[in-house]
Amino acid sequence: MTGEIIIAPSILAADFSRLGQEVAAIDAAGADWIHCDVMDGHFVPNISFGADVLKAIRLTTKKIFDVHLMIAPVDPYLEAFAKAGADVITVHAEAGPHLDRSLQAIRALGKKAGVSLCPATPESAIEYVLDRLDLVLVMTVNPGFGGQSFLESQLEKIARIKSMIGGRPIRLEVDGGITRDNAAAVAAAGADTLVAGSAVFRGESAAEYAANIAAIRTAAEAGRVPKLQDSSAQRMRVSDGGRAR
């Protein structure tokens, strides 16, 4: 699942009065995944939507549904969201006592398994479940509401998690305050999957959404360039017997 930059617009920022049309619009605008933030008013101080809404909008696109469950307890609801059309199901490390069991349950349902960390949660919380994971989601705002400002303190955490992942085929996703202005820094830290809500749903047309998605993607790809250049330079040095050019 790792590799190219993935842009996953969060429909939390969409116009809920025409949610199906909004999903179709970001599909046409070049979204790679559709990010679905599910909030229960208990684990986070907001309520968004449930499995029935997910099932309804599933009919509007064939893109991957990246479902972020900000609910606790979470295990009783995994099957409902799997049946509603989720492709990736992400649960919070903080949402229950048995994270390993939750991840096993997601995979048993035939879905990709992800884990999310709130800003105050250290990366050590996922150290012992890395081999259960297809995705790690780093929250760069405190979860619960869209439109918050990006927490730069999380950049170092992203880099440390990237190092923890190593060669495992795990996507590193970032969610919270992502814009074209910080996408480069996020990608440079190691993220390959960017969730953006307000920064995508500016404007009212698919063309405007497409321009927003493209701007975020271009910035993120530019953020990765220095590392790619460094790797190329290192390969040249090695092939040249270690001599600097």
Side-chain angles (χ1 to χ4, degrees), residues 108-215:
L109 290 165
K111 306 302 179 179
K112 298 291 187 182
V115 64
S116 183
L117 299 176
C118 292
T121 303
E123 64 275 9
S124 58
I126 63 171
E127 182 177 359
Y128 296 106
V129 296
L130 282 172
D131 292 326
R132 302 275 193 206
L133 296 175
D134 299 291
L135 178 144
V136 176
L137 170 56
V138 179
M139 293 301 300
T140 46
V141 298
N142 289 296
F145 296 94
Q148 298 182 65
S149 297
F150 179 83
L151 295 173
E152 293 191 8
S153 62
Q154 299 304 297
L155 287 172
E156 290 185 7
K157 183 197 284 187
I158 295 167
R160 291 193 298 268
I161 292 174
K162 179 64 175 177
S163 180
M164 285 176 62
I165 289 172
R168 296 176 179 86
I170 300 172
R171 279 208 163 267
L172 181 48
E173 185 173 44
V174 175
D175 180 7
I178 298 296
T179 69
R180 67 183 71 187
D181 297 324
N182 56 35
V186 168
D192 53 41
T193 306
L194 278 63
V195 177
S198 301
V200 168
F201 287 97
R202 288 196 182 105
E204 298 181 354
S205 68
E208 290 171 293
Y209 296 169
N212 296 335
I213 290 170

Side-chain angles (χ1 to χ4, degrees), residues 17-48:
S17 70
R18 53 189 190 94
L19 189 55
Q21 294 168 272
E22 291 275 71
V23 172
I26 56 173
D27 183 336
D32 300 300
W33 294 1
I34 310 299
H35 189 80
C36 305
D37 288 308
V38 179
M39 303 177 181
D40 66 355
H42 172 68
F43 180 68
V44 293
N46 196 8
I47 297 174
S48 58

Side-chain angles (χ1 to χ4, degrees), residues 24-79:
I26 56 173
D27 183 336
D32 300 300
W33 294 1
I34 310 299
H35 189 80
C36 305
D37 288 308
V38 179
M39 303 177 181
D40 66 355
H42 172 68
F43 180 68
V44 293
N46 196 8
I47 297 174
S48 58
F49 54 83
D52 286 345
V53 171
L54 192 77
K55 182 178 180 180
I57 62 174
R58 176 74 276 185
L59 301 174
T60 65
T61 180
K62 294 182 179 180
K63 295 286 176 71
I64 287 175
F65 266 20
D66 175 31
V67 179
H68 177 195
L69 298 181
M70 288 171 272
I71 60 178
V74 69
D75 289 1
Y77 302 97
L78 296 175
E79 185 175 3

